[in-house]
Amino acid sequence: MNKIQTSGSYDGECYTINVAFNDFHVMTLDGLSREDLFELASCITVLMPQDDFNKLTMENTDGNV
């Protein structure tokens, strides 16, 4: 089964996102702005089925999604 892993950081000025696929580093997006993050999030959420999007954005009292 394929697996994606992500990590990210914020240095007080810019954001960085790292993506690995099947234990291989695939890409680093460095120097991202807040607007860039919104653009990426928008693209990803548009691809999600509505039920999954609802699960992602739903507040859950036990802290699990």
Side-chain angles (χ1 to χ4, degrees):
M1 177 180 205
N2 294 325
K3 181 174 178 157
I4 188 172
Q5 296 174 327
T6 59
S7 64
S9 62
Y10 178 67
D11 66 8
E13 192 173 316
C14 296
Y15 297 88
T16 299
I17 297 175
N18 299 296
V19 179
F21 187 69
N22 290 338
D23 297 325
F24 295 101
H25 179 260
V26 176
M27 72 174 161
T28 296
L29 301 173
D30 194 18
L32 299 172
S33 68
R34 185 170 186 248
E35 292 77 20
D36 294 332
L37 293 183
F38 280 109
E39 181 66 27
L40 289 168
S42 174
C43 177
I44 291 167
T45 56
V46 166
L47 296 172
M48 297 177 84
Q50 188 64 44
D51 288 344
D52 290 339
F53 178 77
N54 292 343
K55 288 177 189 174
L56 178 68
T57 58
M58 177 175 78
E59 288 188 9
N60 195 325
T61 56
D62 64 6
N64 296 316
V65 175

